[in-house]
Amino acid sequence: MKEKWEEFKTSLTDVTSMTKKEFLLTITVCILGGIVFGLLFSPRKSMMIGSNNGNNNGRSLSDRDIEEAEKNADWENEE
């Protein structure tokens, strides 16, 4: 294992060149991979933006629930 490590260390000193296309592809893959990684491991997966943004006419949800329950009770009494 130590021999492989020494061989790897000596290969790091080699100078290599990269074409512009390879460089652009490498940068693109890194950016897209970072976006995917961020989406998969983000802490806010259940956040909803813009949900239930209707006009409530100044009434709270509890008032609306009470009114709907009264309407349903009236409907059942008519039958």
Side-chain angles (χ1 to χ4, degrees):
M1 187 67 158
K2 200 171 198 180
E3 296 164 356
K4 288 185 180 182
W5 175 250
E6 293 298 326
E7 183 180 331
F8 177 71
K9 283 191 343 186
T10 58
S11 70
L12 291 177
T13 59
D14 295 341
V15 177
T16 58
S17 63
M18 183 184 292
T19 64
K20 289 182 181 181
K21 285 183 181 181
E22 289 174 331
F23 181 72
L24 181 63
L25 181 63
T26 303
I27 295 298
T28 305
V29 168
C30 288
I31 290 172
L32 293 176
I35 290 172
V36 169
F37 182 80
L39 289 174
L40 290 176
F41 294 103
S42 67
R44 298 182 184 183
K45 291 181 183 175
S46 62
M47 177 187 286
M48 287 192 272
I49 298 174
S51 62
N52 298 325
N53 284 337
N55 186 1
N56 293 332
N57 294 328
R59 295 182 300 181
S60 66
L61 291 177
S62 61
D63 292 342
R64 185 183 309 154
D65 292 339
I66 293 170
E67 288 176 6
E68 288 180 15
E70 289 173 354
K71 286 179 186 177
N72 290 338
D74 291 340
W75 177 267
E76 291 173 1
N77 290 336
E78 289 178 5
E79 294 176 353

